[in-house]
Amino acid sequence: MTQSPLIAPSILSADFADFGAEIRAAEAQGADWIHVDVMDGHFVPNLTFGPPLVKAIRRHVTTVMDVHLMIAPVDPYIEAFAEAGADILTAHVEAGPHIHRTLQAIRGAGCKAGLALNPGTPPEAAAPLLDMVDLICVMTVNPGFGGQSFIRSQLATIRRLREMVGDRPIRLEIDGGVTPETAPLAAAAGGDVLVAGSAVFRGGSAEAPDAYGDNIRALRAAVAEAAPA
Ligand code: DX5
Ligand code: ZN
């Protein structure tokens, strides 16, 4: 990687009563993208929100709205999330039997298509889909909750996917447990978008957002220090 990875704060760790202000603060403090975690209480054991909320927060996002769908089924909701203003819509390969159709539908709805892989899924699951995706999201926790520990065995999956992607214009996003300790490992393995929830939003608030900036700079600095000169 020649360029430093993008930082995508996950609003799962922000104040749910004040998403607009939280997003504006995170962007003002250096966020490259805003990562939006949609959970259905079925595919993952937690519930967050649906298209109306995504639509409501859209106008606060001036960077890229990166919507991670942890829902099954996916297809009945693609149009609604596209209309809500998602730039990237990411679906899980494990969420149903027809991921190829799902990715087609996401692009057909005008969004960039992302494919997410749980820690139990081999990287080769992405192989038939590489020409249909703009992003691959490697889960480095079991999805459902913020604040979990990075699963280091996923580094091999990241490395393998980096090889498989080759020179295709596909972002390799790392999601879960990203901290100043683990970010350099994820980046060295080939990740070029780092999602971080608790590691960005800890210690601050929309009214006192300097901590968000400190946290984002700490992630960038950790990656830069570890990178070969
Ligand atoms: C986990 C979500 C992540 C989560 C990451 O299911 O997909 O995006 O917000 O949170 P941290 O960075 O706290 O592990
Ligand atoms: Zn996520």
Side-chain angles (χ1 to χ4, degrees):
M1 283 293 88
T2 48
Q3 287 186 324
S4 65
L6 303 179
I7 305 295
S10 163
I11 60 169
L12 189 63
S13 296
D15 178 358
F16 270 46
D18 209 359
F19 274 145
E22 291 277 46
I23 289 167
R24 293 194 304 274
E27 289 193 345
Q29 295 293 326
D32 294 302
W33 292 3
I34 298 296
H35 184 84
V36 178
D37 286 309
V38 177
M39 303 185 184
D40 68 351
H42 164 74
F43 179 69
V44 290
N46 196 6
L47 273 169
T48 55
F49 42 72
L53 188 285
V54 174
K55 186 173 187 177
I57 64 178
R58 169 71 256 190
R59 67 190 171 88
H60 301 280
V61 179
T62 64
T63 56
V64 169
M65 186 184 250
D66 172 33
V67 178
H68 178 191
L69 299 177
M70 286 161 275
I71 65 175
V74 179
D75 295 10
Y77 303 101
I78 290 172
E79 202 58 49
F81 282 107
E83 279 171 17
D87 294 301
I88 304 167
L89 266 185
T90 295
H92 273 260
V93 68
E94 307 86 2
H98 300 298
I99 186 65
H100 187 284
R101 176 187 293 155
T102 299
L103 294 169
Q104 276 182 327
I106 290 173
R107 280 193 170 167
C111 297
K112 292 196 168 175
L115 175 70
L117 272 58
N118 279 335
T121 300
E124 283 70 25
L129 306 165
L130 289 175
D131 292 322
M132 308 184 64
V133 298
D134 303 289
L135 174 146
I136 299 174
C137 175
V138 180
M139 294 308 304
T140 40
V141 298
N142 285 296
F145 302 95
Q148 303 182 80
S149 297
F150 189 91
I151 299 172
R152 288 188 181 228
S153 57
Q154 283 299 81
L155 291 168
T157 294
I158 302 168
R159 282 193 291 269
R160 177 74 187 115
L161 283 165
R162 176 48 68 195
E163 288 171 3
M164 289 165 60
V165 161
D167 57 8
R168 294 178 181 84
I170 298 175
R171 288 280 183 185
L172 201 48
E173 178 177 70
I174 314 306
D175 188 6
V178 172
T179 64
E181 289 71 44
T182 59
L185 307 175
D192 59 10
V193 181
L194 304 180
V195 174
S198 41
V200 167
F201 287 101
R202 68 163 64 108
S205 68
E207 292 75 36
D210 288 359
Y212 300 167
D214 293 342
N215 292 339
I216 290 170
R217 282 187 292 277
L219 289 169
R220 293 193 203 284
V223 172
E225 278 167 28

